[in-house]
Amino acid sequence: MSTQTPTPAPVATVKRARGRRRRLDSSLIVGIALLAVIFIGAILVASVGRNFFSAGNIRDILTGMSVLGFVAIGQTLVILCASLDLSVPYVISLSSLIAADIMAGNPANVPAAVLTVIAVAVGIGLVNGLIVTKLKVNGFIATLGTGLIIKGYLDSNYKGTSGEVPWSFQLIGASGIGPIPISTVLMLAVAVLGAFFLARTRTGNHMFAVGGNEQVARLSGIRTARPIIVAHVLCSVTAAFAGLLLASRLGVGSPTVGVQGGYDLLSIAAVVLGGTLLMGGRGSIWGTIGGVAIFAVVDNVMSVMQVNPFLKDVVRGVVIVAAVAVYTSRQLDRRRPRFGPGSAASAPPGTTQTEHAEEAKA
């Protein structure tokens, strides 16, 4: 009785299948999900006699993306380094207050206010980064502590809104180019810079390496502290941009505007929804922007349909859990079995170990 050995698949067939899997990356999944959400949202909005694609509705969606987009861009950099930043809502509130107080309704004070806000944000981010890298405190705890310190300062010194933003600065949050708000244009410009930073700079590439495996990165000669510190500094700066934008919209500074928006957890959710691994090492700025857009569309549709505000959080939670479940299942599919069909032992001739490693990384 003879046994038949399974015939290995041709190398070309394996490479084509591998190429199809690579093309379906996280950013593409986010794009498909965004189109699906827009399609379903357009139907739901039409059912109540409204036009989803009207200029006013598009402007509302883009406006809703701006503030969360700023915060999520910085949060993406931190999460790529396998850390977190929970101090962002307090940085937002502090930034709005500093800006409004320094501006005091005088347009001539705008440059000094903006520079001061950025300097303070750099200082907060530097403290977060140094605590994480030098004191070896988990980013979750370190930034939570920093946020509570800022919260204590805000609660002790501010009992309500403060300062006054001049009209010239308020135009940033109130004007637009057609249906596209200026704030969205600025947010997308920061996203372009963030994507360029990750793709074209050494520190950006090191963020992926440190987030993927810090010990391996260190043994490879990478100074692992620098990317983490830079990520926290940039995260605080983007949160400060969000604070400036909110001050522009409100016309005053507010000690609670960051916490009320829930930007800490929402930004993390948008980053995860955009396909960035919460454990670090893999992700993209544009995937995060896609996640922010999905949240903005979902919120807009529920607002148009006058859905109970408490139900919005339920829907957000369902979207986040579904997204993470999809990404987790894809990760499980990519784990090649050790034995049997599809295992390394049954790999066709000509398939090198390097190709196996690349497939696992894709």
Side-chain angles (χ1 to χ4, degrees), residues 208-218 224 281:
F208 288 99
V210 172
N213 191 318
E214 185 175 357
Q215 185 175 1
V216 171
R218 184 184 300 109
T224 56

Side-chain angles (χ1 to χ4, degrees), residues 42-60:
I43 295 176
L44 293 175
V45 171
S47 67
V48 295
R50 301 281 296 276
N51 181 10
F52 178 85
F53 297 102
S54 66
N57 201 51
I58 296 296
R59 182 181 178 85
D60 290 342

Side-chain angles (χ1 to χ4, degrees), residues 26-237:
S26 299
S27 298
L28 182 57
I29 292 177
V30 175
I32 295 173
L34 177 59
L35 292 176
V37 170
I38 292 175
F39 179 74
I40 296 173
I43 295 176
L44 293 175
V45 171
S47 67
V48 295
R50 301 281 296 276
N51 181 10
F52 178 85
F53 297 102
S54 66
N57 201 51
I58 296 296
R59 182 181 178 85
D60 290 342
I61 293 174
L62 295 177
T63 301
M65 289 179 55
S66 303
V67 177
L68 181 58
F70 276 124
V71 185
I73 290 170
Q75 197 73 263
T76 302
L77 302 179
V78 173
I79 292 179
L80 280 176
C81 295
S83 186
L84 283 174
D85 195 333
L86 298 182
S87 66
V88 287
Y90 307 104
V91 175
I92 292 173
S93 299
L94 181 63
S95 300
S96 71
L97 288 165
I98 293 175
D101 284 342
I102 295 179
M103 291 179 188
N106 187 352
N109 296 334
V110 170
V114 172
L115 292 176
T116 304
V117 166
I118 293 175
V120 172
V122 169
I124 295 173
L126 189 60
V127 170
N128 284 335
L130 290 174
I131 293 176
V132 171
T133 57
K134 303 303 179 183
L135 301 182
K136 304 299 181 185
V137 178
N138 185 279
F140 181 93
I141 302 299
T143 56
L144 178 62
T146 306
L148 290 177
I149 292 173
I150 300 173
K151 179 179 182 297
Y153 171 78
L154 295 176
D155 292 341
S156 302
N157 294 276
Y158 297 95
K159 302 303 179 186
T161 59
S162 178
E164 181 182 358
V165 177
W167 175 246
S168 59
F169 194 76
Q170 292 186 38
L171 290 176
I172 295 177
S175 59
I177 305 173
I180 303 177
I182 293 293
S183 58
T184 304
V185 175
L186 295 175
M187 185 271 290
L188 292 177
V190 174
V192 170
L193 293 176
F196 179 83
F197 172 77
L198 286 177
R200 300 295 182 182
T201 66
R202 179 178 298 179
T203 304
N205 290 326
H206 288 177
M207 287 181 180
F208 288 99
V210 172
N213 191 318
E214 185 175 357
Q215 185 175 1
V216 171
R218 184 184 300 109
L219 294 175
S220 301
I222 296 175
R223 296 180 178 178
T224 56
R226 180 182 298 174
I228 299 174
I229 294 174
V230 171
H232 277 286
V233 169
L234 293 179
C235 184
S236 291
V237 171

